[in-house]
């Protein structure tokens, strides 16, 4: 287990979380959320006002007992946004620079093997200025891995790469992580990247943990309005809490009564926010054979239709809802079948399992 | 031609270079990497010889190094050494006058080594000393070379401070630039011209060698690309 507890003033950090060993965890947050500072603290590059960092029982920092292992004594590999390859060294010299504790011949052998493993063994003699972004990233990865670190720290390592290179390196990182079984912490502002790569997700904002858990769970169910905003849930709606029973929670949204499969207890009439993924709002055709299984059915009028390549974003006003629009992500085929256009009246379904009541 | 003056000039420039360059590297690196309250003042003190007239610097050095001053008196008592009108005094004066030439280029070169490279080196397991030796110094080398050329060249041509502190003692404090002044005063333009041409040539060769070394390094860097 990687246990992290940090307090700092500049930048402001007040967080506490555990990450599972042998897995790839992502720390996601907007610019200025402190995610890079967390990574620097894990690496031993930032000494925070208060800290307790331990990996599987080994304490790397503990301000209470005065323990602080500096970066060069921690078994970590670090790949930054700009790769930070030493410009006066060739690719193989860059990798060898992480093995200065070994004799020269062994150093070179291991560095070459590591470059071969990341697929650029033939470019060992090249200087960083003669390598492409993707190749530099591989050299940086080889340099971080060659010491066989217990913790690999990646600070937005794919942000400067083109889409195809990024996708290819995503696959390679997954393969590498699976083969080595190493604990990896990836910092990114890209939720899609985190969703594809990580098993655990830690959502940061202004130096605090907003939500933390299994990636699939966090992405499916934001716990707060802030988390939902950060995860780009475009439907954030105000309602009133009515009551709870064994089937879940009831909400009043204008004149519409919605049901959510799970939700917090509150007082009747208390204001509450809820959200639903735009892709979880469904169109219902007339005469559907099993309408009762679809959830709450409401009438709505289309106010905007925007084509977004392989999907269409439609905005609808739900009748009796009080005027807050809902956004729906539809397939082009569904748009054609239902004749979705501005002004069209439709029936939509809001399923209790798709309704997320926020704290 | 005053060959002893030439030898003295080269010795003075050589000693100044050997003694000052390590100091310049350490102070330059310290100023580049360390934030502290008195940094602007220290930087100003290091750069002061650039803006002060040599006579002012020379006057203060004379005052502080003289046998009646506390510093000069102590050195005289401990080592039996007079700093005024002597070669060791000239070396000391030259070290102080050349501080900005030895420090500023080095400081700028170390400042250009990014924080990311320091972090990467530390995460490669390099101790602070190894980061300095393996990453910072090789990258800051052009600045160190510039500092060496400037210090050596400037010492060769230094006149005002040398005259104030050392006077004009043949074989002891009469450097080539003093000898040129002496020949001009003695209405011997031919000897002054020969020595001036020699000083010009040595200075030109020194600076050209420095630029050549920087160019070779830049080409080698480009050649690896």
């Amino acid at each position: 287990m990687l246990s992290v507890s940090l307090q700092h003033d500049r930048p402001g950090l007040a967080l506490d979380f555990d990450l599972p060993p042998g897995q790839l965890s992502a720390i996601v947050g907007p610019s200025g959320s402190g995610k890079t500072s967390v990574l620097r603290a894990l690496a031993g590059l930032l000494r925070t006002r208060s800290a307790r960092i331990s990996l599987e029982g080994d304490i790397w920092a503990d301000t209470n007992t005065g323990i602080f292992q500096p970066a060069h004594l921690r078994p970590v590999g670090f790949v930054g946004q700009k790769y930070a390859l030493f410009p006066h060294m060739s690719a193989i010299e860059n990798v060898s620079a992480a093995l200065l504790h070994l004799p020269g011949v062994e150093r070179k052998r291991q560095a070459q093997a590591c470059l071969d493993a990341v697929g650029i063994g033939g470019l060992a003699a090249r200087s960083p200025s003669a390598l492409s972004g993707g190749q530099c990233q591989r050299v940086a990865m080889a340099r971080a891995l060659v010491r066989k670190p217990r913790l690999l720290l990646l600070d937005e390592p794919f942000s400067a790469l083109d889409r195809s290179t990024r996708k290819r390196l995503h696959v390679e990182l997954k393969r590498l992580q699976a083969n080595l079984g190493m604990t990896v912490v990836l910092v990114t502002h890209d939720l899609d990247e985190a969703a594809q790569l990580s098993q655990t997700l830690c959502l940061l904002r202004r130096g605090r943990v907003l939500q933390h858990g299994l990636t699939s769970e966090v992405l499916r169910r934001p716990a707060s309005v802030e988390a939902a905003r950060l995860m780009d849930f475009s439907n954030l709606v105000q309602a009133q809490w009515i009551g709870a029973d064994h089937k879940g929670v009831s909400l009043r949204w204008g004149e519409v009564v919605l049901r959510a499969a799970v939700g917090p207890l509150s007082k009747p009439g208390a204001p509450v926010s809820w959200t639903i993924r735009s892709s979880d709002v469904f169109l219902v055709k007339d005469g559907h054979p099993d309408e009762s299984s679809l959830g709450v059915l409401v009438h709505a009028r289309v106010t905007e239709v925007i084509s977004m390549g392989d999907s269409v974003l439609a905005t609808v006003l739900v009748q009796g809802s009080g005027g807050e629009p809902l956004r729906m992500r539809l397939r082009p085929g569904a748009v054609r079948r239902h004749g979705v256009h501005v002004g069209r009246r439709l029936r939509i379904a809001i399923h209790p399992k798709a309704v997320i009541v926020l704290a | 031609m005053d060959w002893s003056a030439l030898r003295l000039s080269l010795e003075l420039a050589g000693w100044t270079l050997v003694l000052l360059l390590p100091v310049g590297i350490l102070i330059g690196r310290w100023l580049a990497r360390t934030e502290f309250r008195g940094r602007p003042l220290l930087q100003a003190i290091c750069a002061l010889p650039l803006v002060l007239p040599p006579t002012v610097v020379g006057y203060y050095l004379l005052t502080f190094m003289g046998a009646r001053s506390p510093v000069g008196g102590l050195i005289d008592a401990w080592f039996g050494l007079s700093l005024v009108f002597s070669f060791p005094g000239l070396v000391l004066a030259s070290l102080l006058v050349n501080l900005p030439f030895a420090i500023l280029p080095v400081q700028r070169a170390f400042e250009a080594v990014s924080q990311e490279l320091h972090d990467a080196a530390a995460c490669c397991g390099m101790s602070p000393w190894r980061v300095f030796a393996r990453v910072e110094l090789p990258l800051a080398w052009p600045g160190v070379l510039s500092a060496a050329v400037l210090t050596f060249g400037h010492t060769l041509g230094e006149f005002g401070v040398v005259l104030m502190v050392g006077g004009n003692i043949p074989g002891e404090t009469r450097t080539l630039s003093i000898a040129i002044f002496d020949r001009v005063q003695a209405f011997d333009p031919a000897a002054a011209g020969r020595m001036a041409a020699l000083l010009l040539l040595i200075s030109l060769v020194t600076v050209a060698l420095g630029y050549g070394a920087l160019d070779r390094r830049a080409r080698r860097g480009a050649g690896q690309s």
Side-chain angles (χ1 to χ4, degrees):
Chain A
M1 186 72 76
L2 173 65
S3 298
V4 183
S5 173
L6 298 170
Q7 312 280 325
H8 200 50
D9 300 323
R10 266 190 241 168
L13 297 175
L15 38 84
D16 209 323
F17 60 85
D18 293 337
L19 299 175
Q23 290 192 7
L24 198 155
S25 303
I27 298 178
V28 180
S31 300
S33 59
K35 52 191 190 302
T36 295
S37 300
V38 173
L39 214 62
R40 285 173 53 77
L42 288 178
L45 298 166
L46 172 69
R47 207 163 174 159
T48 54
R49 176 167 55 77
S50 164
R52 187 177 160 83
I53 300 170
S54 65
L55 179 67
E56 292 172 78
D58 292 344
I59 299 169
W60 292 355
D62 187 352
T63 34
N64 289 331
T65 53
I67 296 173
F68 181 81
Q69 275 191 10
H72 69 280
L73 298 179
R74 293 190 190 186
V76 298
F78 187 95
V79 179
Q81 291 175 36
K82 297 175 187 165
Y83 314 129
L85 297 182
F86 307 127
H88 58 299
M89 298 182 192
S90 64
I92 194 166
E93 285 168 345
N94 262 280
V95 181
S96 303
L99 296 171
L100 292 178
H101 56 290
L102 296 178
V105 178
E106 182 58 16
R107 202 186 301 163
K108 200 172 174 188
R109 192 190 65 74
Q110 287 194 22
Q112 183 63 52
C114 207
L115 283 174
D116 290 341
V118 296
I120 48 164
L123 305 176
R126 291 250 188 114
S127 115
S129 59
L131 297 172
S132 69
Q135 289 163 344
C136 283
Q137 206 266 3
R138 285 162 198 254
V139 176
M141 193 67 93
R143 189 177 64 180
L145 291 172
V146 75
R147 286 204 307 154
K148 300 182 178 63
R150 291 172 60 196
L151 177 64
L152 178 63
L153 303 169
L154 307 173
D155 185 8
E156 306 210 28
F158 308 108
S159 59
L161 301 174
D162 61 81
R163 188 182 152 91
S164 64
T165 309
R166 194 161 61 230
K167 294 280 172 201
R168 210 166 53 242
L169 289 173
H170 281 171
V171 175
E172 285 180 21
L173 175 62
K174 285 289 270 188
R175 188 180 296 141
L176 213 60
Q177 199 273 329
N179 289 344
L180 299 175
M182 191 185 294
T183 307
V184 182
V185 179
L186 167 74
V187 153
T188 179
H189 63 266
D190 185 345
L191 263 174
D192 294 336
E193 189 170 272
Q196 283 175 34
L197 295 174
S198 68
Q199 287 112 327
T200 308
L201 184 67
C202 185
L203 216 55
L204 282 196
R205 186 157 187 270
R206 292 182 186 161
R208 286 162 205 278
V209 177
L210 277 186
Q211 200 172 344
H212 168 229
L214 291 175
T215 303
S216 54
E217 187 59 27
V218 173
L219 291 177
R220 204 160 53 85
R221 299 197 77 84
S224 64
V225 174
E226 281 186 315
R229 281 209 183 100
L230 218 61
M231 286 192 255
D232 204 22
F233 275 72
S234 49
N235 295 317
L236 277 171
V237 189
Q238 287 290 318
Q240 284 180 333
W241 195 88
I242 302 175
D245 57 23
H246 67 285
K247 286 184 178 172
V249 174
S250 299
L251 308 175
R252 183 179 296 285
W253 178 34
E255 295 164 11
V256 178
V257 175
L258 292 173
R259 293 199 58 83
V262 287
L265 291 177
S266 188
K267 288 181 194 161
V272 69
S273 295
W274 66 278
T275 186
I276 185 168
R277 283 184 178 280
S278 53
S279 52
D280 285 346
V281 186
F282 294 110
L283 293 172
V284 182
K285 62 183 177 188
D286 291 334
H288 191 282
D290 189 13
E291 287 188 350
S292 61
S293 68
L294 299 176
V296 175
L297 300 185
V298 291
H299 290 276
R301 182 170 55 82
V302 179
T303 58
E304 190 180 41
V305 179
I306 300 171
S307 179
M308 305 284 286
D310 58 353
S311 66
V312 174
L313 199 63
T315 307
V316 298
L317 275 178
V318 174
Q319 193 178 320
S321 68
E324 279 173 302
L326 275 190
R327 286 185 182 80
M328 312 169 63
R329 191 171 288 279
L330 304 167
R331 293 209 180 106
V335 171
R336 272 196 307 278
R337 273 199 310 281
H338 289 266
V340 176
H341 57 80
V342 174
R344 174 94 158 99
R345 289 188 179 278
L346 304 161
R347 278 202 311 157
I348 62 171
I350 301 173
H351 196 277
K353 283 189 176 167
V355 174
I356 302 161
V357 184
L358 302 167
Chain B
M1 177 67 69
D2 188 342
W3 294 108
S4 70
L6 173 64
R7 183 181 51 78
L8 206 63
S9 285
L10 291 172
E11 274 181 15
L12 181 63
W15 276 113
T16 305
L17 181 64
V18 168
L19 294 174
L20 193 56
L21 202 59
V23 176
I25 291 172
L26 290 179
I27 296 179
R29 199 268 179 194
W30 183 50
L31 288 172
R33 305 283 321 159
T34 316
E35 292 281 337
F36 57 96
R37 194 185 288 261
R39 206 170 81 123
L41 182 65
L42 186 64
Q43 283 178 301
I45 291 170
C46 290
L48 211 53
L50 277 181
V51 291
L52 276 181
T55 45
V56 174
V57 180
Y59 169 78
Y60 281 115
L61 286 173
L62 261 184
T63 309
F64 284 106
M65 289 171 11
R68 287 182 199 165
S69 76
V71 177
L74 271 180
I75 289 174
D76 196 12
W78 287 353
F79 304 108
L81 207 67
S82 168
L83 289 178
V84 177
F85 304 119
S86 71
F87 185 72
L90 269 194
V91 174
L92 185 62
S94 185
L95 291 176
L96 294 172
V97 167
N98 280 290
L99 272 177
F101 299 100
I103 292 173
L104 293 181
V106 176
Q107 184 187 342
R108 298 289 167 258
F110 277 113
E111 280 170 351
V113 180
S114 70
Q115 185 61 44
E116 284 90 357
L117 289 179
H118 281 89
D119 292 352
C123 289
C124 281
M126 291 191 209
S127 63
W129 166 246
R130 274 197 162 148
V131 175
F132 175 75
R134 296 250 177 187
V135 177
E136 287 186 69
L137 197 54
L139 289 174
W141 190 245
V144 175
L145 195 60
S146 296
V149 169
L150 286 174
T151 302
F152 189 84
H154 182 254
T155 311
L156 270 185
E158 180 55 46
F159 175 75
V161 174
V162 172
L163 189 64
M164 291 284 282
V165 175
N168 184 6
I169 305 169
E172 181 69 26
T173 62
R174 185 196 282 170
T175 60
L176 207 52
S177 53
I178 303 290
I180 293 167
F181 177 70
D182 187 61
R183 284 301 86 204
V184 170
Q185 294 286 83
F187 300 105
D188 183 1
R194 278 195 299 276
M195 286 190 281
L198 184 62
L199 194 56
L200 176 77
L201 186 70
I202 294 171
S203 298
L204 186 66
V205 168
T206 304
V207 177
L209 283 176
Y211 277 124
L214 288 173
D215 274 359
R216 268 199 306 282
R217 188 188 153 90
R219 271 202 304 277
R220 210 168 48 240
Q224 284 179 352
S225 305

